[in-house]
Amino acid sequence: FTSTRDLSVHCFRETIAMRTFIPAILVPLVLISWAPEVFSLKKGECEVCISVLDRFKASLSKEQAGDQKAIEKEFTKFCKPLKLKENRFCYYLGGTADAATGIVGEMAKPLSWGMPSDKVCEKLKKKDKQICELTYEKQIDFSTVDLKKLKVKDLKKILSDWDEGCDGCLEKSDFIRRIEELKPKHVRSEL
């Protein structure tokens, strides 16, 4: 340094550099420490994934449960009879014949280690978030439901699930009347 001024400018620059360096290091460390909370599943999330994997794990023999290749093979067999949301889950993983992608290995490897289903689903969610968007449809309890509070779309779905139509139904009250007519045929009341 040629003068005291040069020395003080150099020290000032180093101080400023340290002030920007410390936050640049601390912010990512804080974010990483919060990551497990951000990525962990919330209650009720991934219900189809967890349910299917729990049932699938229960169907495996002890030898198959520790072998990744056997798990992959058995998962394809397990998926064949599944319908609706469960079939869609298998499709997303590549467990169906018509699946375009195949991440069955991403499921099989952690399962072979004995990882719990919810943690496997958490890992799968990072690969394809659609997997955890699948949910089972809520069953309607006809003994307590107020049909007047349901949307017309829901009323139509009830009739569709019963394989019934509503010819001439234009208003919500028409759909409600039709459901009330058909309720004894389709809803079993428990005594």
Side-chain angles (χ1 to χ4, degrees), residues 48-67 70-72 74-76 78-79 82 89-90 93 106-121 124:
V48 173
C49 177
I50 293 169
S51 169
V52 170
L53 289 184
D54 281 342
R55 286 196 337 256
F56 173 63
K57 278 178 23 177
S59 73
L60 294 172
S61 69
K62 198 168 188 108
E63 297 81 37
Q64 291 169 330
D67 181 8
I71 290 173
E72 291 176 20
E74 290 300 314
F75 186 72
T76 307
F78 180 81
C79 285
L82 298 180
F89 169 72
C90 289
L93 286 186
E106 299 291 332
M107 174 270 305
K109 188 183 283 186
L111 272 185
S112 69
W113 302 334
M115 185 179 283
S117 299
D118 60 330
K119 294 297 179 188
V120 174
C121 291
L124 292 172

Side-chain angles (χ1 to χ4, degrees), residues 13-60:
R13 285 185 183 150
E14 282 186 4
T15 304
I16 295 297
M18 285 303 287
R19 284 186 183 162
T20 57
F21 175 74
I22 290 173
I25 294 296
L26 286 179
V27 170
L29 288 175
V30 169
L31 290 176
I32 289 170
S33 70
W34 288 342
E37 293 174 25
V38 173
F39 294 120
S40 62
L41 297 178
K42 295 169 187 71
K43 184 174 171 61
E45 195 175 19
C46 286
E47 66 179 324
V48 173
C49 177
I50 293 169
S51 169
V52 170
L53 289 184
D54 281 342
R55 286 196 337 256
F56 173 63
K57 278 178 23 177
S59 73
L60 294 172

